[in-house]
Amino acid sequence: MPASDWTLHAQLQKDTIDIGDLPLCRVLVIKDAHYPWLLLVPRRAGVGEIIDLGEVEQAQLMTEISRVGRALKDVTKCDKLNIAALGNLVPQLHVHVIARRSGDVAWPRPVWGVVPPLAHDPEEVQSFIAELRRRIWLG
């Protein structure tokens, strides 16, 4: 389906801050200051799984995951990147790219459901977004 038919799932819209668009994906920041946590959401209607994308788009997704992951690692100096496409609660394909530190509140467990989300400081998150946009080539 063409990108023009695409809309961001309401739950993702509620839980994120929009950074911008790469050729395939919308890049978003999760509203949880416990972790530097990004989402990549392919702008394709009706796509719930990576295998629902064509082979060229799958390759583009991997390129964008790599670009975003490198930028996030450079900005955060994290110990580990967690990259996952789960979609158990939100059926729209979205890929989590999470910078983890050995001292974060969930370490070494997955981040989901460990503690309630922590609101971002508005100035800090805008500075973080500006640096990511520069490194991801979003302007």
Side-chain angles (χ1 to χ4, degrees):
M1 291 193 177
S4 62
D5 294 339
W6 179 84
T7 58
L8 184 63
H9 188 279
Q11 188 64 50
L12 297 181
Q13 194 165 12
K14 176 180 169 259
D15 293 343
T16 62
I17 302 165
D18 188 350
I19 293 181
D21 290 339
L22 292 169
L24 177 64
C25 294
R26 170 121 342 130
V27 183
L28 307 157
V29 174
I30 290 283
K31 293 177 182 174
D32 186 350
H34 287 298
Y35 322 95
W37 184 348
L38 305 178
L39 287 183
L40 281 80
V41 184
R43 294 183 318 279
R44 298 295 182 265
V47 172
E49 306 288 348
I50 292 171
I51 60 173
D52 295 338
L53 296 169
E55 289 183 5
V56 171
E57 288 181 330
Q58 289 176 30
Q60 181 64 36
L61 177 61
M62 285 306 302
T63 296
E64 293 180 13
I65 291 168
S66 295
R67 181 189 297 179
V68 168
R70 263 192 300 284
L72 186 59
K73 192 167 187 172
D74 287 347
V75 168
T76 65
K77 308 297 187 230
C78 63
D79 298 318
K80 178 74 175 112
L81 285 177
N82 290 174
I83 299 173
L86 302 173
N88 295 340
L89 297 176
V90 174
Q92 183 174 50
L93 176 59
H94 57 286
V95 178
H96 300 264
V97 182
I98 310 165
R100 300 295 306 275
R101 292 189 181 90
S102 60
D104 72 39
V105 296
W107 187 265
R109 298 173 312 276
V111 298
W112 290 276
V114 175
V115 293
L118 176 66
H120 286 283
D121 173 273
E123 288 181 23
E124 286 180 15
V125 76
Q126 287 308 314
S127 176
F128 175 66
I129 288 170
E131 183 63 15
L132 282 172
R133 286 179 55 82
R134 186 181 71 75
R135 290 180 186 250
I136 299 171
W137 312 317
L138 287 171

